[in-house]
Amino acid sequence: MKLLLVSHDEQLAGDIYRYFTPRGYSVIHYSNPLKAMDNFREIRPDIIIFHEPDFPRHWKLSVQSLRELYSRDTALFILMVPPDYPEEDLHKAYILGVNGILKKKESEKTAVESLESLILYYKPSPEVRKQRRLLPLGEKTMDFIFMNPENLQLINARVLELSEYGAIVKPVEEIKTEGLIPGMEISNCSLKTGDVILSISVRIIAVKGVLELEFIEGLEDWKSRLKKSIESYN
């Protein structure tokens, strides 16, 4: 998973590199925001961390440039700001396409841990990707629909990452996921891949901003049909 840091702060860059690299992230550091923007398409970053105090006039241009290429689900943009950052500008940041904002008032160690928590709200860790052999779908559309057994709400979610063994999905309306807990099994879920709809049962592994799901054996041919669907998307 590619993490791109835009910052002139070498200490911050070192802290992020030492924290995230052992966790399976590929850390790329730019001290020039314009050069970073020029390489968004080539690098295809999963996460961008932008240190606003270093380049207060460039973060808006950076997020706009990123959103011309990738959606909020495909590429995260996390803005690090000082504790007294104006609330009005925070609101503008979300409108422009920023996923998360971290007010950097803690120690650097706490700051990087907070960054990881923000990232895991939107994306699985590299270790989860490896264990479940998950493949990011990028801008391609695949839907996952199921009934919440706790409140009988129909949940429509976008598939972010997929394999024959499981998926990471993001509910369109997170409020409908209330009551879902790890270990819960849900039957008769619908996975729509193009013109094909597969009926799959799942076990919930983790519930955050996204849901980590493990597929449970169903009809004999569902796995082969799913494999063909994955191949058609890549």
Side-chain angles (χ1 to χ4, degrees):
M1 190 179 295
K2 296 178 183 177
L3 186 158
L4 192 157
L5 170 68
V6 182
S7 172
H8 198 62
D9 188 331
E10 292 297 333
Q11 181 179 341
L12 175 63
D15 289 336
I16 286 178
Y17 182 85
R18 285 188 292 272
Y19 186 87
F20 284 97
T21 299
R23 287 164 169 77
Y25 294 84
S26 176
V27 178
I28 304 163
H29 176 214
Y30 277 90
S31 56
N32 185 320
L34 298 179
K35 287 185 178 180
M37 283 184 277
D38 286 342
N39 287 290
F40 283 168
R41 188 184 296 276
E42 179 182 350
I43 295 173
R44 297 182 62 86
D46 296 286
I47 307 139
I48 291 179
I49 299 172
F50 195 103
H51 194 223
E52 187 276 344
D54 293 336
F55 314 108
R57 297 182 181 180
H58 289 87
W59 73 263
K60 292 179 183 178
L61 184 61
S62 293
V63 73
Q64 288 173 334
S65 176
L66 183 71
R67 291 295 166 248
E68 289 176 359
L69 298 171
Y70 310 113
S71 68
R72 291 174 185 257
D73 291 335
T74 301
L76 306 186
F77 193 101
I78 297 175
L79 191 64
M80 297 186 74
V81 301
D84 57 350
Y85 199 69
E87 288 296 324
E88 181 180 350
D89 287 340
L90 293 178
H91 181 64
K92 290 179 182 177
Y94 285 113
I95 293 175
L96 288 173
V98 170
N99 292 87
I101 295 171
L102 179 65
K103 291 186 176 181
K104 196 180 140 200
K105 58 186 177 180
E106 314 104 323
S107 67
E108 294 299 339
K109 181 178 179 181
T110 306
V112 292
E113 290 173 350
S114 298
L115 278 173
E116 184 181 35
S117 295
L118 266 176
I119 291 168
L120 294 180
Y121 185 81
Y122 294 98
K123 287 184 178 288
S125 69
E127 186 61 28
V128 169
R129 273 186 174 180
K130 182 178 179 181
Q131 289 174 351
R132 308 232 179 265
R133 303 183 188 178
L134 292 167
L135 180 68
L137 296 183
E139 300 299 312
K140 299 169 184 175
T141 301
M142 191 179 288
D143 297 320
F144 188 81
I145 303 171
F146 64 100
M147 183 78 74
N148 184 337
E150 292 300 303
N151 57 25
L152 302 183
Q153 293 272 5
L154 187 65
I155 298 176
N156 192 351
R158 179 187 174 190
V159 180
L160 303 181
E161 312 204 8
L162 181 68
S163 75
E164 300 170 52
Y165 309 95
I168 302 295
V169 305
K170 181 180 180 182
V172 175
E173 298 176 271
E174 189 177 340
I175 192 172
K176 292 185 177 181
T177 64
E178 185 176 352
L180 297 181
I181 59 174
M184 182 180 289
E185 295 185 1
I186 304 176
S187 303
N188 301 317
C189 306
S190 295
L191 177 64
K192 185 178 181 182
T193 63
D195 296 329
V196 178
I197 299 178
L198 301 178
S199 180
I200 296 178
S201 297
V202 303
R203 179 181 297 109
I204 297 176
I205 303 301
V207 182
K208 299 166 188 166
V210 295
L211 301 179
E212 181 185 339
L213 308 174
E214 177 184 24
F215 295 144
I216 302 173
E217 292 292 345
L219 298 175
E220 291 183 1
D221 67 339
W222 75 269
K223 187 171 286 189
S224 63
R225 293 173 65 193
L226 175 59
K227 184 177 180 179
K228 290 180 181 178
S229 295
I230 295 173
E231 291 172 349
S232 70
Y233 268 69
N234 297 279

